[in-house]
């Protein structure tokens, strides 16, 4: 378990570094993708409020940049996270959004 947690923490640092570079280059779309990836790491580490925050931030960026695939992925991730907590109505709501 410790090795797994260490790997996730290492992944988080890599994604944060990549996000900082994307921001420095002005690549909002890539930044949104990387924030979404940070959400996956947070979810897998059991940091669900942080994961939800990351997925929602990625959704905002994806919508602002017109990245429809990213928007769909963010909505699905939010829905899945709510589904993990048996928040079925909220999960369905996010999975059905367009």
């Amino acid at each position: 378990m410790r090795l797994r947690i260490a790997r996730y923490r290492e992944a988080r640092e890599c994604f944060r570094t990549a996000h900082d570079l994307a921001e420095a280059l002005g690549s909002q779309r890539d930044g949104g993708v990387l924030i979404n990836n940070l959400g996956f790491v947070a979810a897998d580490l059991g940091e669900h409020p942080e994961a939800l925050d990351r997925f929602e931030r990625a959704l905002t960026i994806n919508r602002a940049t017109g990245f429809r695939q990213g928007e769909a992925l963010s909505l699905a991730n939010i829905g899945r996270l709510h589904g993990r907590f048996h928040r079925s109505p909220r999960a369905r709501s996010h999975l059905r959004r367009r």
Side-chain angles (χ1 to χ4, degrees):
M1 182 68 160
R2 286 183 187 172
L3 178 60
R4 181 177 171 192
I5 290 172
R7 294 283 184 185
Y8 280 113
R9 289 187 176 141
E10 183 179 328
R12 182 183 345 214
E13 289 310 309
C14 289
F15 288 138
R16 282 182 179 157
T17 300
H19 178 262
D20 291 346
L21 289 170
E23 273 194 344
L25 294 170
S27 180
Q28 257 191 314
R29 183 174 165 175
D30 289 335
V33 169
L34 292 160
I35 289 171
N36 191 63
N37 290 348
L38 285 163
F40 280 121
V41 171
D44 287 343
L45 286 171
E47 300 168 355
H48 300 116
E50 181 180 337
L52 183 59
D53 177 66
R54 300 286 184 175
F55 292 146
E56 288 174 344
R57 285 178 52 203
L59 176 62
T60 299
I61 292 168
N62 290 327
R63 284 182 171 160
T65 60
F67 183 37
R68 300 283 291 166
Q69 289 172 319
E71 181 180 348
L73 181 61
S74 295
L75 287 168
N77 292 336
I78 292 167
R80 283 188 201 111
L81 193 61
H82 284 305
R84 280 186 183 179
F85 297 104
H86 308 291
R87 297 178 189 152
S88 297
R90 288 181 81 180
R92 281 191 290 273
S93 170
H94 283 283
L95 290 171
R96 288 184 181 155
R97 284 189 194 173
R98 294 179 190 206

